[in-house]
Amino acid sequence: MLLAMLRGTVTSLEVFALTLIFSLPLALVIAMGRMSRNRVLSGVTNVFLLIIRGTPLMLQLLVVYFGPGLLIRKLVMMGYAVSFRWNRFAAAIVALSINYAAYFAEIYRGGIESIPKGQYEASKVLGYTGAQTFFRIILPQVIKRIVPAMGNEVITLVKDTALVSVIGVSELLMVAKERQGAMFSFTPLFIAGVFYFVMNWGVAFAFRKIEKRLSYYN
């Protein structure tokens, strides 16, 4: 039982890690689009954020996994020769990355907009380019300010990895439910709860270390 649950935990950790790897940079791009002076770009980005943040993650997982297949089926019925095979794990990563990028983007935006405008003006006087100002002066301060909010979202992500079971990805909670049904015991679910607790404790510990490391901005 423990071996199967450990394999499920590895899958959960893979989903967690890959979602962070893809969503964090994507969120910065979305945040920039949201703050763009181009009304079309900012408007489209705002609608995108409204849709993603306003619909359940479980629904988004189902749409990402089943949606392309339904679309291709319609194209085939119209006479187009189209072939596509969607991997469950990949679909889970895509859906989670898009969902969390939307939330991270708003955290980024809040952090960026909290920086006084005078810092932009001062850096311009000192001869910094726009890119140098953002990456050398603004972004380090933004990271310091958004760490607590990001920590909350990342902890939520650990728990949300359980939702990928809705499209058949065999992660920790799905394995625990299967073992519970086979054993007629609550023990597998209790063990899964312990595993999730340990993972979230690790995330919380890591973010405390990051906050301490960035304390020189205080």
Side-chain angles (χ1 to χ4, degrees), residues 85-100:
R85 188 171 183 175
W86 203 205
N87 179 274
R88 296 174 188 271
F89 186 83
I93 299 303
V94 169
L96 282 169
S97 297
I98 292 173
N99 181 274
Y100 272 83

Side-chain angles (χ1 to χ4, degrees), residues 41 115 137 152 169 174:
L41 178 58
I115 304 298
I137 299 174
N152 287 336
V169 178
M174 183 176 183

Side-chain angles (χ1 to χ4, degrees), residues 53-216:
R53 297 171 69 200
T55 55
L57 175 55
M58 186 178 293
L59 176 61
Q60 294 168 24
L61 283 161
L62 292 171
V63 168
V64 170
Y65 181 61
F66 292 107
L70 294 173
L71 177 61
I72 289 171
R73 189 179 302 171
K74 287 188 176 181
L75 291 174
V76 170
M77 291 174 64
M78 293 170 61
Y80 295 96
V82 184
S83 177
F84 179 80
R85 188 171 183 175
W86 203 205
N87 179 274
R88 296 174 188 271
F89 186 83
I93 299 303
V94 169
L96 282 169
S97 297
I98 292 173
N99 181 274
Y100 272 83
Y103 286 94
F104 290 151
E106 287 297 275
I107 295 174
Y108 284 156
R109 183 175 68 86
I112 293 170
E113 292 182 346
S114 71
I115 304 298
K117 299 296 181 184
Q119 295 199 26
Y120 292 92
E121 297 169 358
S123 62
K124 188 176 181 180
V125 170
L126 292 172
Y128 285 91
T129 65
Q132 288 174 329
T133 298
F134 181 77
F135 287 105
R136 294 185 182 182
I137 299 174
I138 305 301
L139 190 58
Q141 297 179 73
V142 169
I143 292 173
K144 162 62 180 174
R145 297 186 183 200
I146 68 175
V147 163
M150 292 292 285
N152 287 336
E153 287 297 326
V154 174
I155 286 173
T156 302
L157 172 59
V158 173
K159 293 178 285 187
D160 278 350
T161 57
L163 293 177
V164 302
S165 62
V166 74
I167 57 173
V169 178
S170 185
E171 46 68 59
L172 174 58
L173 188 59
M174 183 176 183
V175 173
K177 287 180 179 179
E178 291 173 350
R179 296 297 168 179
Q180 180 198 25
M183 298 172 60
F184 298 101
S185 170
F186 183 75
T187 302
L189 291 179
F190 176 78
I191 294 173
V194 172
F195 284 2
Y196 280 114
F197 174 80
V198 170
M199 287 188 284
N200 275 324
W201 177 84
V203 170
F205 179 80
F207 271 88
R208 283 199 300 271
K209 287 293 186 181
I210 293 171
E211 284 190 66
K212 187 175 180 180
R213 182 65 64 87
L214 295 174
S215 62
Y216 59 80

